[in-house]
Amino acid sequence: MSFLPKLKKSLILGVVVMFLGVSAPLSMTAEADSGWNDFEKGFNELFSSGEGDTISFTDFEGQLATLSKAGYDTALTSSTDAREFIIRIVNFALGFLGLIAVLIVIYGGVLYVTAAGEEEKTQKGKKAIGYATIGLLIVLGS
């Protein structure tokens, strides 16, 4: 019998969440609309023919307007070579993997310290530390 009140509460909660999900986008203000206008303006500038008017899709011949570096962070526009760009991405990925390996070492250490004599937790902590150390060595080696 206790299942029906839980179901009723779940249904009411679901209806409220759906109502909020539908009504929240409808309450957008004029300030939010200005962001769309800026996007539309930038899109039209990207596909402009140079005279200030926009090109329709039927007249478009495949050329794009030249992009400028103005308004972008220098870290995003500093690499002009594909090789340099790929090196930056790989270095970022390796840094991220190194961070994950350090977090796994910390997790393994916490498991090992809080094992309280349980052999299974002790072994699990030791394995986590060992595997993360191997991973760190691989990341640092590359």
Side-chain angles (χ1 to χ4, degrees), residues 80-96:
T80 57
D81 186 19
R83 181 176 180 258
E84 185 180 325
F85 181 71
I86 291 171
I87 288 172
R88 285 179 185 239
I89 290 175
V90 168
N91 284 337
F92 174 78
L94 289 174
F96 185 72

Side-chain angles (χ1 to χ4, degrees), residues 11 31-32 35 43 47 61 90 96 99-100 108-109 113 121 129 138:
L11 287 175
E31 294 171 8
F43 183 81
F47 291 102
E61 296 177 6
V90 168
F96 185 72
L99 175 68
I100 289 174
V113 168
K121 281 188 177 181
I129 292 171
I138 291 171

Side-chain angles (χ1 to χ4, degrees), residues 56-103:
S56 70
F57 284 110
T58 56
D59 297 333
F60 184 67
E61 296 177 6
Q63 72 278 6
L64 295 175
T66 23
L67 299 175
S68 69
K69 295 181 179 181
Y72 292 105
D73 187 13
T74 56
L76 295 174
T77 59
S78 63
S79 63
T80 57
D81 186 19
R83 181 176 180 258
E84 185 180 325
F85 181 71
I86 291 171
I87 288 172
R88 285 179 185 239
I89 290 175
V90 168
N91 284 337
F92 174 78
L94 289 174
F96 185 72
L97 290 174
L99 175 68
I100 289 174
V102 168
L103 291 175

Side-chain angles (χ1 to χ4, degrees), residues 10-139:
S10 297
L11 287 175
I12 291 173
L13 181 64
V15 169
V16 169
V17 168
M18 284 192 328
F19 175 74
L20 290 175
V22 170
S23 65
L26 296 177
S27 65
M28 290 181 5
T29 62
E31 294 171 8
D33 290 339
S34 70
W36 175 256
N37 292 336
D38 291 343
F39 171 76
E40 188 175 11
K41 180 182 171 192
F43 183 81
N44 288 337
E45 287 176 2
L46 180 65
F47 291 102
S48 67
S49 62
E51 293 89 34
D53 59 337
T54 58
I55 299 175
S56 70
F57 284 110
T58 56
D59 297 333
F60 184 67
E61 296 177 6
Q63 72 278 6
L64 295 175
T66 23
L67 299 175
S68 69
K69 295 181 179 181
Y72 292 105
D73 187 13
T74 56
L76 295 174
T77 59
S78 63
S79 63
T80 57
D81 186 19
R83 181 176 180 258
E84 185 180 325
F85 181 71
I86 291 171
I87 288 172
R88 285 179 185 239
I89 290 175
V90 168
N91 284 337
F92 174 78
L94 289 174
F96 185 72
L97 290 174
L99 175 68
I100 289 174
V102 168
L103 291 175
I104 292 174
V105 167
I106 293 171
Y107 170 73
V110 169
L111 275 180
Y112 185 75
V113 168
T114 61
E118 293 182 39
E119 189 65 30
E120 183 180 330
K121 281 188 177 181
T122 304
Q123 291 302 321
K124 189 175 178 181
K126 284 181 180 179
K127 283 183 181 179
I129 292 171
Y131 292 147
T133 305
I134 292 170
L136 269 174
L137 291 175
I138 291 171
V139 167

